[in-house]
Amino acid sequence: MRPLQVYSVTPKLPDNLMALRDLAFNFWFSWKHDIAELFERIDYQLWQECRQNPVKFLNLVPQHVIQELSRDVFFLDRLNKTRESLKNYSTATKSVFDFEETKGEPVIAYFSAEYGISLSLPIYSGGLGILAGDHLKSTSDLNLPLVAIGLCYQQGYFRQYLTSEGWQQERYPVNDFEEMPLVQVKDDQGKPLTVEVGLLSRRVKIHIWKALIGRIPLYLLDTNINDNEPQDRGITAQLYGGDWEMRLKQEIVLGIGGIRALTTMGLNPRVIHMNEGHSAFAGLERISVFMREHNMSFEAATELVASSSIFTTHTPVPAGNDRFAPDLMEKYFEGYARELGLAFKVFLALGREDPRDDQELFTMTVLALRLSRFNNGVSQLHGRVARSMWKKVWPQYPVDDVPIAAITNGIHIPTWIAPDMAYLFDRYLGSDWREDSDCFRVWKQSEAIPDAELWRTHERLRERLVDFVRERLKMHTLARGGRRHELQLAGEVLDSGALTIGFARRFATYKRANLILSDVKRIVELMSNKKQPVQFIFAGKAHPKDVEGKKIIQEIVQFCRREECRHHFVFIEDYDMEIAGYMLQGCDIWLNNPRRPLEACGTSGMKAVANGVLNFSVLDGWWDEAYTPDNRYGWAIGNGKEYDDHEYQNLVESHYLYNVLERDIIPTFYNRSHGNMPMEWIRKMKNGLRDLCPAFSSHRMVEDYAQKTYLPAFQNFVKLEKNGFEQAKNLASWRMELMTKWGEVKIRRVKAAEGDNLYSGDELTVTAEVYVNGLTTDDIQVEIYSGKVDINGNFLDRNTVCMDKMSTLEDGWVLYEGKVDSVSTGRFGYTVRILPHHPLLLDPHCLGLIHWA
């Protein structure tokens, strides 16, 4: 028997408590501690049971408690002040960046497959989602005109539990969107707004849910509606669930459906930012829209879209880039390619490193690279790795010229900072650390924090972490049917005064979570030292299909259960943002030992720094930029060397790990002065707060994106849009003519006037004759490419200098000349090259056209 109709009964809020609803439906509560504390004061236990979901919490608060609150003068006063602060924050118009002619509309559309905003919105799996969440929060604080698009997963990412043997199992709780801080987007008639995408012969309908992230609207797409067939309702069921066909359908909904959702809502952002390749189809749909609505050719629409698109790649691991078989792409995109006016083979070439290889898979990262003129990795090292990884897309270029830049990730400090530490910063840094978290002047004030206050605050956070771990272990022991003796052991683990080392992340094999277990005897001896005890807290999930990752978890869990380890080494199940917060705030050392250079950035260590935690990491990702040889902010594992023999690498770096622990970290932590304070350790904590917090803040990251990509992309769109997209059409025509004539462009008679030997400070004058084949000299850029060379004549570095047109010769040849300074001594080489040039071409490398002498 099923009910005829389903309805909800929720507490009735009196008028003087309606502000609670406003606070509950804006995720500002996830980084504004005052709001979370307001809900905690009502019923702390219920708040935790609701996983800090204020909407569900308000629906479960008993009516009599609501009535009592409505008469509590002190509570009402605090509620009204908090509501006023939200109103002031939401309505502020001041911004550091000026996007002209926008009239309050969103300029940038940010696409991501996952967002880590809060425990109460479980649509994230790990670092990519957390980064996307922090990006939106800083964008909100900086008041940029941005709107975000994602998927509204009914089950989200899996919840983890362990068997008695320590093997990871997965469960998928169902998200009830009606009990989350989400509002369904409705049309003028009050019905759910609907958009459609075509999948094979079916029209799949999509509903839209809106989440407010401070000032930023996040729109989440949902296919789980009655009008869709069962297989289509499941498209937005699980994050990274299903097979490759399901992944392709999810990315069609995200990219194509996302653009259509924006259009249906009347939003017209000029710029899109594709966070990882999952959303690359958004670029194709934008091209389709401009072709249909503005009568543009595919080439003109592509120039317009690429010139106003940003793509961020996050993974240097080949398996992390989605690749689809040609027959699967044909199944879903043959008709779409026809609508774009493309032969299907040409369509597939958009996603292939080698467009001529008919066997190559269609790669979403390649598609995104081709449809964007602003491409970047997420750390300086990752930028270099990405250029090498995707150099086949630009086969004629040296790796250094591959047009993939780097913008290092950052973290949203107000989200990840412990409340205790935040109060300390409020006293000694002033409130500016929240609004201006990338300002070095503000963080320099951290030197004024008394050593004793900083250390006692940190010790309280470690004690809180230990208490939290014990309670979690008890909870999981009970869930597995543990006996009283096991519960007692769970309540006795760890020592709140011992050096505590944390490791928490996705358990992919390249992250080497079990490197610490390379020498079991040695690590047991470290943990058993009664005078200078060391303890470890581990947490993390393996992908459901990653058997090797699950084996590593099992190895660690079984190690934890050994008699000599159970008090000093623990694994916490079901890693999420709450566990991350406790660990990042309460550990003394944050351990990270991936196989370099496979960690693109690794932002967890940045979050640790903001809480006074020191890093101990391989020189990979962000730590390669932050680390200094004097161990100012923490320690390095290894020396940044990359190995072909992984077993040998594990051996070498595990010895580094143990040696640095024994000789540096443990003695520094336990070297106590009068008052039992580790003065050298505290100095390192302050160094990190002063220097690293502003450098690795997501405010700095978003400002970098705004200055280097958002503003230029927007300005370029405005130029190309004028007079019925006249400039976009002209740019496309110029490119087509260039392509037809480029093959016959030539270089001859390259000469240096000074010969082979120069003295330091001399100028090298180079001349070359160029055949332009009917192009104008404004269409090309002739450069001297010079730099130091090795014994084999290979360039070790590069310097480029534009050459000037000197005269026109016979038969279409043109004489060019340029000069190179000799500022240092050594062995040098030079050559000459020709690149395309156009005032609206953002990067001459992006077309992939080049001629070398």
Side-chain angles (χ1 to χ4, degrees), residues 22 53 58 244 312 373 417 428 466 485 585 604 619 682 739 771 786-787:
D22 297 331
N53 177 347
L58 288 178
W244 282 112
T312 300
R373 297 288 183 259
I417 204 78
Y428 293 100
V466 169
H485 174 64
Q585 295 161 11
S604 61
L619 293 173
I682 295 169
M739 298 284 280
Y771 179 64
S786 65

Side-chain angles (χ1 to χ4, degrees), residues 232-495:
D232 297 328
R233 293 185 65 172
I235 292 173
T236 55
Q238 295 177 5
L239 172 60
Y240 305 141
D243 57 13
W244 282 112
E245 186 166 5
M246 176 58 77
R247 179 70 65 87
L248 179 61
K249 290 191 287 187
Q250 287 184 330
E251 295 180 358
I252 291 171
V253 170
L254 175 62
I256 297 175
I259 292 294
R260 293 178 183 177
L262 290 169
T263 302
T264 304
M265 290 185 290
L267 302 176
N268 184 33
R270 275 73 157 194
V271 174
I272 66 167
H273 184 172
M274 298 171 283
N275 189 43
E276 197 52 280
H278 308 120
S279 51
F281 293 139
L284 285 179
E285 181 62 14
R286 286 186 85 204
I287 292 171
S288 178
V289 169
F290 289 122
M291 291 177 67
R292 288 195 311 271
E293 297 184 1
H294 300 282
N295 195 30
M296 298 176 73
S297 67
F298 176 81
E299 290 75 20
T302 300
E303 288 300 331
L304 178 65
V305 167
S307 296
S308 56
S309 295
I310 295 95
F311 169 57
T312 300
T313 175
H314 285 263
T315 176
V317 183
N321 296 273
D322 291 348
R323 290 176 165 88
F324 299 111
D327 57 343
L328 183 62
M329 290 298 298
E330 185 176 14
K331 181 178 175 182
Y332 283 90
F333 278 94
E334 186 179 27
Y336 194 90
R338 201 161 44 245
E339 291 173 10
L340 293 173
L342 299 179
F344 190 69
K345 185 175 180 180
V346 175
F347 177 87
L348 285 180
L350 292 171
R352 286 173 165 161
E353 293 177 72
D354 182 355
R356 296 161 297 184
D357 183 356
D358 292 341
Q359 304 306 310
E360 185 181 329
L361 300 180
F362 185 94
T363 306
M364 295 296 283
T365 300
V366 174
L367 176 64
L369 289 169
R370 287 217 166 95
L371 296 184
S372 171
R373 297 288 183 259
F374 301 90
N375 302 306
N376 70 278
V378 290
S379 69
Q380 296 303 311
L381 176 58
H382 179 230
R384 297 196 295 272
V385 172
R387 287 190 287 275
S388 178
M389 189 172 180
W390 302 109
K391 61 186 177 184
K392 290 182 182 177
V393 179
W394 296 273
Q396 298 186 52
Y397 288 143
V399 172
D400 287 345
D401 284 343
V402 169
I404 301 177
I407 294 178
T408 302
N409 283 342
I411 59 138
H412 188 254
I413 293 175
T415 293
W416 296 103
I417 204 78
D420 307 56
M421 197 67 76
Y423 297 144
L424 200 61
F425 293 166
D426 285 340
R427 284 207 301 277
Y428 293 100
L429 278 66
S431 61
D432 286 351
W433 72 270
R434 299 173 191 271
E435 288 77 28
D436 205 5
S437 62
D438 60 334
C439 178
F440 283 86
R441 175 186 51 77
V442 170
W443 287 98
K444 193 175 188 305
Q445 301 303 314
S446 59
E447 295 175 342
I449 302 174
D451 293 344
E453 275 198 76
L454 180 61
W455 185 244
R456 300 305 174 220
T457 300
H458 176 68
E459 288 197 307
R460 282 198 305 275
L461 294 173
R462 191 192 314 115
E463 291 167 0
R464 190 182 69 153
L465 168 63
V466 169
D467 288 341
F468 172 79
V469 170
R470 289 170 178 170
E471 290 303 314
R472 275 299 174 102
L473 291 178
K474 287 179 187 178
M475 182 179 76
H476 293 309
T477 301
L478 278 172
R480 282 194 295 271
R483 293 167 295 184
R484 180 179 297 179
H485 174 64
E486 292 175 289
L487 282 173
Q488 182 179 342
L489 288 175
E492 295 172 352
V493 301
L494 305 179
D495 175 355

Side-chain angles (χ1 to χ4, degrees), residues 176-221:
D176 184 351
F177 302 150
E178 300 285 352
E179 286 204 332
M180 298 168 68
L182 302 173
V183 176
Q184 192 165 33
V185 179
K186 306 263 178 94
D187 61 19
D188 294 339
Q189 284 75 44
K191 296 180 180 179
L193 194 68
T194 303
V195 295
E196 292 184 353
V197 295
L199 294 178
L200 305 181
S201 60
R202 306 186 304 277
R203 303 301 297 175
V204 177
K205 294 185 176 180
I206 303 168
H207 284 172
I208 308 166
W209 296 85
K210 179 181 179 181
L212 276 176
I213 318 301
R215 303 179 179 113
I216 302 298
L218 165 60
Y219 294 103
L220 301 172
L221 310 180

